[in-house]
Amino acid sequence: MNKRTKTALVSITAAALMAGAAQAAGKLEIFSWWSGDEGPALNALVKLYETKYPAVAVDNATVTGGAGTNAKAVLKTRMLGGDAPDSFQAHAGQELTGTWVVADRMEDLSSLYKSEGWAAKFPKAVIDLISYKGGIYSVPVDVHRSNVMWYVPATLKKMGVTPPTSWANFITTCATLKAKGMATPLVMGENWTQQMIWESVAVGVLGPKGWNDLWAGKLKFTDPRVVGTFTTYGKVLDCANKDASGLSWQQATDRVLSGQAAFNIMGDWAAGYMTTTKKLKPGTGFAWSASPSTNGTFIMLADSFGLPKGAKDRAEAINWLKVLGSKDGQDTFNPLKGSIAARIDSDPTKYNVYSQSAGKDFRSKVIVGSMVHGAAANEAFTSGFGSINDAFVSNRDAKAAAAASQELATKSKIGM
Ligand code: GAL
């Protein structure tokens, strides 16, 4: 080979390499509120994506704040400003369909469901939540349970009480614990975590049918039964800490773990926190039961990711959705998150005893949607309910809370 040919070959190879690199060096921005203590499950999923697509630079954009209170506001600004992330977290249900789908901002993923064979892999109830007028608009990564009461067995043993199974029983147990010197038997955190207590009380008082009727517009908030949910909620609040508004859900969980409080009502991301971050063993380090009076019901919510129209890195985002919807993806994410896989074919051996029991309950209990986490009610109602909760926490006026909720439901077109 003469020198000229050799030089030419070298430059051709370099050019080819550069072209190849340019082709492979994609990027992907995913957006969620899973950071810090809430990050490990998502980080593991991102790692799995990076193993499959090593040339793609993933920007794991997160906005801290439980239940997405801060992230959802940032997302709104970005979406309206034409700066959509490539894929973002949204709760399956009204939060996704009633906001971004009706506004025609999301891509219909039906063809992806077809090519991946997902119609048979996700429960119909979950697919229904993410469907709108024949299209399917996101990929669920998990199923969480909202109505769980957490406690530490050693604390209850020391205090001589057992986990209450009804709200009436809860209120008696609370009095016992107070008499024994525990000032705040129930610990709660900031506003949305308080709403979760109301949600559990309401499902307990109204039953699943009454709860569903509420969101179908068939039961008015002003009905005496619904007023009764606020009355009971008020009694439950009397068992709780007064500094709740300054506590994150993790800090509230910490108070149960330290023995300062006996109970916390929280979704089972708390199980993820206690096992993945706190390294506790489910069953001994902490234990659980359905929140009082809701043993037959599974209040569900599902986190999902969708593909906004105009995503800058659409091909990479579709691959991201493929990874998170895969069996491997779900069994990587959920054991760390405290949730169960949204897919029906997950590998039970990868899950701890808490998640195995949640999986069993998901298959055997009556499923209803969570209001607080976007499954049952639209964003307009859910965000407006925060102020109603704040007012009720300070004035304890059950009738006023019920009337304000009905006004909000009408304004938010609940059941229409
Ligand atoms: C929920 C979400 C869970 C968990 C929780 C606390 O809305 O569905 O996955 O992140 O908030 O932030």
Side-chain angles (χ1 to χ4, degrees):
M1 201 183 293
N2 66 34
K3 205 171 161 206
R4 265 186 49 209
T5 322
K6 206 170 161 190
T7 315
L9 264 181
V10 167
S11 47
I12 288 169
T13 316
L17 273 177
M18 272 172 69
Q23 217 177 25
K27 59 183 179 48
L28 166 75
E29 187 199 13
I30 53 167
F31 182 91
S32 77
W33 58 87
W34 289 330
S35 63
D37 286 335
E38 277 214 84
L42 179 63
N43 295 344
L45 196 56
V46 169
K47 219 163 144 198
L48 181 66
Y49 176 90
E50 287 171 338
T51 321
K52 289 185 195 283
Y53 304 99
V56 178
V58 181
D59 179 1
N60 185 0
T62 53
V63 177
T64 316
T69 36
N70 306 324
K72 284 192 250 177
V74 174
L75 177 69
K76 199 171 189 175
T77 312
R78 289 191 54 175
M79 290 287 277
L80 300 181
D83 178 29
D86 294 320
S87 183
F88 63 83
Q89 176 188 4
H91 287 123
Q94 283 290 319
E95 183 182 308
L96 170 83
T97 54
T99 311
W100 301 119
V101 178
V102 290
D104 198 23
R105 298 280 181 154
M106 306 302 290
E107 282 204 35
D108 177 2
L109 302 172
S110 300
S111 57
L112 184 63
Y113 272 72
K114 213 163 176 193
S115 60
E116 298 298 299
W118 282 344
K121 299 296 180 196
F122 292 102
K124 187 179 173 301
V126 175
I127 294 203
D128 283 351
L129 279 177
I130 51 179
S131 299
Y132 182 76
K133 291 192 177 163
I136 312 179
Y137 287 91
S138 68
V139 183
V141 65
D142 65 31
V143 167
H144 271 300
R145 187 177 194 178
S146 145
N147 57 318
V148 194
M149 182 171 72
W150 307 97
Y151 57 91
V152 171
T155 308
L156 298 205
K157 194 167 171 222
K158 190 175 125 210
M159 301 304 285
V161 298
T162 51
T165 52
S166 69
W167 285 113
N169 192 208
F170 181 92
I171 290 156
T172 327
T173 306
C174 164
T176 309
L177 289 167
K178 279 187 175 178
K180 289 186 176 177
M182 184 182 272
T184 57
L186 174 71
V187 60
M188 60 187 191
E190 57 184 314
N191 186 304
W192 67 268
T193 76
Q194 300 161 24
Q195 293 181 48
M196 287 187 71
I197 301 174
W198 175 78
E199 175 163 290
S200 266
V201 169
V203 170
V205 171
L206 304 173
K209 182 176 181 311
W211 178 254
N212 287 338
D213 282 351
L214 205 54
W215 307 114
K218 291 186 200 150
L219 176 66
K220 293 261 175 287
F221 280 83
T222 43
D223 184 285
R225 287 167 66 209
V226 188
V227 176
T229 68
F230 287 101
T231 314
T232 303
Y233 177 44
K235 291 183 187 150
V236 174
L237 288 177
D238 289 338
C239 303
N241 51 315
K242 302 278 175 269
D243 61 349
S245 61
L247 294 189
S248 67
W249 67 265
Q250 292 96 329
Q251 288 171 318
T253 308
D254 289 345
R255 287 206 187 162
V256 173
L257 299 180
S258 70
Q260 206 178 329
F263 305 111
N264 176 228
I265 310 280
M266 185 46 55
D268 48 16
W269 40 91
Y273 173 64
M274 290 186 277
T275 53
T276 307
T277 305
K278 297 285 168 183
K279 310 276 178 237
L280 292 171
K281 215 168 161 242
T284 47
F286 69 93
W288 63 92
S289 58
S291 51
S293 302
T294 70
N295 189 37
T297 312
F298 188 113
I299 307 180
M300 68 91 61
L301 57 121
D303 293 296
S304 72
F305 280 78
L307 178 63
K309 285 190 171 167
K312 294 181 202 83
D313 306 291
R314 188 174 178 278
E316 286 75 13
I318 289 175
N319 286 337
W320 162 250
L321 297 175
K322 282 185 186 166
V323 171
L324 74 85
S326 70
K327 184 167 186 273
D328 198 12
Q330 305 241 325
D331 285 344
T332 297
F333 177 89
N334 289 293
L336 297 169
K337 185 67 168 58
S339 39
I340 53 172
R343 283 179 71 116
I344 54 179
D345 59 352
S346 69
D347 175 359
T349 63
K350 298 227 160 99
Y351 293 80
N352 65 35
V353 287
Y354 168 72
S355 297
Q356 286 182 7
S357 83
K360 209 169 125 227
D361 285 348
F362 186 62
R363 290 186 292 274
S364 61
K365 310 269 169 175
V366 179
I367 309 290
V368 298
S370 161
M371 176 278 288
V372 184
H373 302 281
N378 58 29
E379 193 57 18
F381 185 91
T382 302
S383 54
F385 193 72
S387 319
I388 295 174
N389 178 70
D390 270 345
F392 181 73
V393 169
S394 66
N395 66 24
R396 302 298 171 87
D397 186 338
K399 272 199 166 150
S405 301
Q406 185 51 47
E407 208 177 294
L408 176 64
T410 309
K411 222 172 76 194
S412 314
K413 302 197 175 10
I414 293 296
M416 285 182 195

